[in-house]
Amino acid sequence: MRASGLNWQGLMEQLQQALPHCEVTDQSLAYFKYPRRTVSLNLPVRMDDGSVRMFRAYRTVHSTSRGPSLGGVRLRAGVSAHECEVLAAIMTLKAAVADLPLGGAKGGIDVDPESISEHERQGLIRRYTSELVEFIGHHEDILAPDVGSDEQAMAWILDAYAENTGETTSGVVVGKPIPLGGSYGTKDARGRSAALVTGQVLEQAGRSLRRARAAVYGFGSVGRTAAQTLAAQGALVVAVSDQGGATYASGGLDLADLTAHRERTGSVRGHATDISLDELTELDVDVLLLAYDYGAIHAGNAHAVRADYVVEATNRAVLPEAERFLKDHGVTVIPDLIASLGGLVVNYLEWVQDASNFFWTEEEIEGAIDVRVNAALDEVLTFARTRRTDLRTAAYVVALNRLHDATVMRGVYP
């Protein structure tokens, strides 16, 4: 069940905790507290039965102080402008933590993608792009995949943008198929970096992933890669979940067999011992990695979490009120600003490759992601250790200081 606690107030409360450690001014804070723009759209789409259905949609650009904005397009029932604004601000922070020349954005269409056909989804994506064509571009606002969208959706965006502008500009969208200017490493970057970051955080705390017990909430592309990477580092992945439920094996799951089972049956259920999603979050494990969507851990279930480390492999997986409880009870949260950084870094690298029309190998891409993620992680860990803060506060400080510098240097126009 989705929590309702994704809100601007929670974001601002966490920001306030970082301010005593920051070099910021009222001016730079004002730029962060107010998104640059939010566009609301009504999208008419002809359905397969010949009727015309109207869909609500949004696009928020939070900041362009450090460069053009970049952020995903989510297809989810109930998505709102407010949701897009909060997630866009998180993207701004994430780009600043990684020291990338980008700002944050987020878009969404209020639809359950499972309720429409592939043809209807294509029409919806193309209409969304056409309505936004004056606001997006490789030097202004760059679109990316998110919940409910994929590389095929990005290909439709690329084509619709070209049809509207009369030119093919590959960098207007990232997460594209490789034949259309996409990058190697896109599908694995977020899950792989989340697992590698987890290992490094544990190592600094004097612990190891060797034989550590891990549960993964969300066995999509991110969760599957994270689980495989955790296992490669020696962890025992004892439970995973998808929309159909969860499966558990005390001695560790056979991930290759599990993946084949899911491809065959459409769910992880039935592979080992079936458990509920709530039971997965309550397991006595070392690591609980969250790879589904925001709000997996909220005020209603935080008290039942028994993991020592909770990892946000997706944005805002732990809501602020839950994080306060976890912190008070000795649970370390590895925040999205560093745990899910690999996805943003590979999107940035794709954008750079499109701009230069020069593409790197898969090995070069993985190396470049690791360099950027490790540099950001080292800076956050060093700050947290020397100032005795939690990891999210440290990441906020790093990001806000960089945003402050950019804002002050640019000044106010006119």
Side-chain angles (χ1 to χ4, degrees):
M1 183 177 68
R2 176 172 298 278
S4 60
L6 184 74
N7 58 61
W8 196 259
Q9 180 182 354
L11 184 66
M12 291 300 104
E13 288 175 357
Q14 291 180 329
L15 180 144
Q16 290 295 327
Q17 296 175 24
L19 291 184
H21 307 282
C22 294
E23 299 175 0
V24 295
T25 63
D26 290 342
Q27 174 187 322
S28 56
L29 281 178
Y31 273 85
F32 183 84
K33 290 179 178 179
Y34 299 95
R36 180 170 181 178
R37 67 168 178 261
T38 296
V39 178
S40 297
L41 307 167
N42 291 303
L43 309 177
V45 176
R46 188 170 297 282
M47 310 302 283
D48 291 343
D49 63 2
S51 65
V52 175
R53 179 178 168 188
M54 196 72 70
F55 295 86
R56 288 289 286 167
Y58 312 93
R59 183 68 179 177
T60 291
V61 171
H62 176 262
S63 173
T64 56
S65 294
R66 289 173 51 84
S69 57
L70 186 151
V73 178
R74 51 181 38 214
L75 275 61
R76 189 184 69 75
V79 72
S80 65
H82 187 72
E83 176 180 331
C84 291
E85 289 175 350
V86 175
L87 294 174
I90 291 171
M91 290 299 293
T92 294
L93 292 168
K94 190 181 294 187
V97 168
D99 204 14
L100 301 177
L102 298 168
K106 187 68 69 175
I109 304 173
D110 184 0
V111 61
D112 176 5
E114 299 297 323
S115 69
I116 58 177
S117 70
E118 185 79 351
H119 177 260
E120 291 166 339
R121 189 169 77 105
Q122 179 177 174
L124 182 58
I125 291 290
R126 288 180 178 275
R127 183 67 189 224
Y128 179 76
T129 307
S130 298
E131 294 288 345
L132 286 175
V133 73
E134 296 181 0
F135 299 98
I136 61 178
H138 66 296
H139 286 150
E140 184 169 0
D141 183 22
I142 306 147
L143 281 63
D146 205 295
V147 173
S149 62
D150 53 19
E151 65 175 19
Q152 177 59 73
M154 300 306 105
W156 292 332
I157 290 172
L158 176 66
D159 187 66
Y161 185 81
E163 291 294 330
N164 277 273
T165 62
E167 60 181 25
T168 297
T169 308
S170 298
V172 70
V173 60
V174 292
K176 305 180 295 296
I178 288 177
L180 296 180
S183 175
Y184 289 111
T186 297
K187 294 180 180 179
D188 296 336
R190 185 146 55 102
R192 179 175 171 273
S193 67
L196 294 176
V197 164
T198 301
Q200 293 181 54
V201 171
L202 264 66
E203 182 178 348
Q204 185 174 93
R207 300 181 60 168
S208 171
L209 276 176
R210 298 290 304 174
R211 307 301 295 176
R213 292 164 58 80
V216 176
Y217 188 105
F219 200 63
S221 60
V222 174
R224 183 173 60 251
T225 301
Q228 292 167 344
T229 309
L230 286 170
Q233 295 182 87
L236 291 176
V237 179
V238 298
V240 303
S241 70
D242 60 16
Q243 290 181 323
T247 189
Y248 169 78
S250 60
L253 296 164
D254 182 331
L255 295 179
D257 189 54
L258 173 63
T259 300
H261 170 84
R262 187 171 188 266
E263 291 175 351
R264 185 173 62 253
T265 67
S267 174
V268 299
R269 289 181 62 84
H271 178 261
T273 301
D274 288 345
I275 61 174
S276 69
L277 297 180
D278 286 341
E279 287 173 321
L280 183 145
T281 61
E282 296 169 7
L283 288 172
D284 185 7
V285 292
D286 300 287
V287 174
L288 172 60
L289 188 141
L290 308 172
Y292 175 57
D293 196 6
Y294 71 79
I297 303 299
H298 48 84
N301 66 2
H303 68 280
V305 172
R306 300 168 68 191
D308 296 328
Y309 292 84
V310 175
V311 184
E312 287 187 311
T314 192
N315 291 335
R316 218 56 170 174
V318 180
L319 296 180
E321 61 272 21
E323 186 161 357
R324 288 193 295 271
F325 179 90
L326 295 176
K327 181 181 176 181
D328 290 342
H329 288 77
V331 178
T332 298
V333 175
I334 305 178
D336 48 7
L337 300 187
I338 50 175
S340 65
L341 201 53
L344 176 58
V345 173
V346 77
N347 286 339
Y348 163 71
L349 294 173
E350 180 178 334
W351 177 65
V352 170
Q353 290 172 96
D354 286 334
S356 63
N357 203 27
F358 181 86
F359 293 83
W360 298 302
T361 66
E362 186 170 5
E363 293 76 14
E364 289 172 326
I365 290 292
E366 287 187 353
I369 294 170
D370 289 349
V371 167
R372 293 257 178 193
V373 172
N374 288 337
L377 176 61
D378 287 346
E379 191 164 6
V380 170
L381 287 174
T382 298
F383 187 94
R385 183 177 62 254
T386 56
R387 297 293 189 92
R388 299 183 181 278
T389 71
D390 60 89
L391 295 178
R392 191 182 304 277
T393 298
Y396 266 57
V397 172
V398 171
L400 289 172
N401 282 341
R402 287 186 173 136
L403 290 166
H404 164 77
D405 291 343
T407 301
V408 170
M409 289 177 185
R410 290 176 72 118
V412 180
Y413 178 85

